[in-house]
Amino acid sequence: MEQDAVRALSRGLGVLDTLETRDAMALRDLHRITRLPKPTLLRLLSTLERHGYVSQRLADGCWRRTSRGRLSAASEAKEQLLDCSTAVLHDLCRDVIWPSDVGVYRDGTMEIIESNRALTPLPIARVPIGLRVSLLGSGLGRAWLAYCGDAERRQAIADACHVADRSTRAGAGLRRNIEAVLEHTRQKGYGCRAATGVSAPAGQGDIGIAVPILSTGRLLGCVNIVWRSTAMSEAVFADRYLPRLQQAAAAIGAQISAS
């Protein structure tokens, strides 16, 4: 019995070590690398998840290490955001039906780190984890810029000028008007995707509103809800769903503060 327990512990630690090498991994990749049978892997992952060491992403079902046991402060903030977003995003999609994404600032863009698009019954295409979206033109980016510090904002806007579309006429217009846009964002209480100059791939939803995720005064990221503009206007959608989106962002922030 003791030998079996030691063997199971060794296998579980091996799975954690493997997950440490990437942001997240599919079960088939874990199976290929660890050479453990898939039923065994699922039992180990279930146990590790129950004790808070791993979590399964909503967006694609991949497994990832949680912030528990990590030593890197830089990675811990992102992992904490992921740890505390999953259940909240699940409930948000249940209540709103339209899907949501969580994004963090990265090198002049907003990076999608989690999404509940896999849960919605609506015909909205999924987005890959790690997708970068426009800082100046997306709802996520505008919400982040509106609520970050002044020095951060200046540097972020400068960084955004170095992304691939910096020379486009639409991109130049977004940069020129960004201060007025951000003031309007603060007045409304949410960021909204630019009406022009920011394209959305077919089926992904062509409009979204986003709010900041704050924890003890720190801006950690932003969360949105996306929908089809043919379904309802921005004003109608915000009136109906903004309070629920703000509630979700506050819940994520509160969980991080308490962890």
Side-chain angles (χ1 to χ4, degrees):
M1 181 69 72
E2 184 179 348
Q3 225 174 11
D4 290 342
V6 170
R7 186 184 183 199
L9 176 60
S10 177
R11 284 177 165 182
L13 291 173
V15 169
L16 289 178
D17 286 342
T18 302
L19 288 174
E20 193 72 45
T21 64
R22 301 186 194 177
D23 285 343
M25 298 181 72
L27 182 66
R28 63 178 179 275
D29 295 323
L30 279 169
H31 168 64
R32 175 175 52 82
I33 293 171
T34 65
R35 300 182 182 276
L36 292 173
K38 288 183 180 179
T40 299
L41 273 173
L42 286 171
R43 285 196 298 272
L44 290 170
L45 289 166
S46 177
T47 299
L48 291 168
E49 183 178 37
R50 192 162 60 249
H51 289 278
Y53 286 96
V54 304
S55 177
Q56 192 172 23
R57 282 196 312 218
L58 292 175
D60 52 17
C62 288
W63 292 90
R64 49 170 285 273
R65 281 288 308 266
T66 65
S67 60
R68 185 169 187 177
R70 287 181 179 265
L71 298 178
S72 167
S75 67
E76 185 178 7
K78 177 180 174 181
E79 297 304 325
Q80 279 188 319
L81 185 54
L82 281 166
D83 294 348
C84 297
S85 295
T86 302
V88 175
L89 285 184
H90 185 281
D91 292 346
L92 181 60
C93 189
R94 178 199 62 203
D95 295 344
V96 174
I97 307 300
W98 294 102
S100 298
D101 311 303
V102 172
V104 296
Y105 174 77
R106 185 171 178 184
D107 301 329
T109 66
M110 293 298 288
E111 179 186 7
I112 304 298
I113 63 168
E114 180 60 296
S115 174
N116 62 18
R117 293 179 186 232
L119 304 180
T120 180
L122 300 172
I124 301 289
R126 300 184 190 185
V127 294
I129 296 301
L131 176 71
R132 306 282 192 93
V133 298
S134 169
L135 180 70
L136 302 179
S138 69
L140 289 169
R142 290 176 168 191
W144 193 88
L145 286 170
Y147 292 95
C148 69
D150 292 342
E152 284 181 292
R153 184 180 306 110
R154 287 191 294 270
Q155 184 60 56
I157 292 173
D159 290 343
C161 293
H162 295 287
V163 299
D165 65 349
R166 64 187 180 278
S167 62
T168 66
R169 185 175 302 173
L174 289 172
R175 292 194 300 276
R176 192 164 51 245
N177 300 322
I178 192 64
E179 289 302 331
V181 167
L182 297 182
E183 181 56 35
H184 191 44
T185 296
R186 296 183 195 99
Q187 291 173 3
K188 293 188 298 183
Y190 65 87
C192 188
R193 182 181 295 167
T196 60
V198 181
S199 60
Q204 283 191 5
D206 61 351
I207 191 168
I209 60 173
V211 298
I213 299 171
L214 302 166
S215 175
T216 59
R218 293 182 302 138
L219 175 60
L220 302 177
C222 298
V223 58
N224 70 9
I225 306 176
V226 299
W227 78 99
R228 300 279 180 83
S229 58
T230 52
M232 67 188 83
S233 68
E234 175 194 332
V236 170
F237 192 91
D239 184 63
R240 185 175 300 177
Y241 295 120
L242 178 60
R244 183 64 184 86
L245 178 61
Q246 291 171 326
Q247 181 185 48
I252 295 170
Q255 286 185 39
I256 293 172
S257 299
S259 62

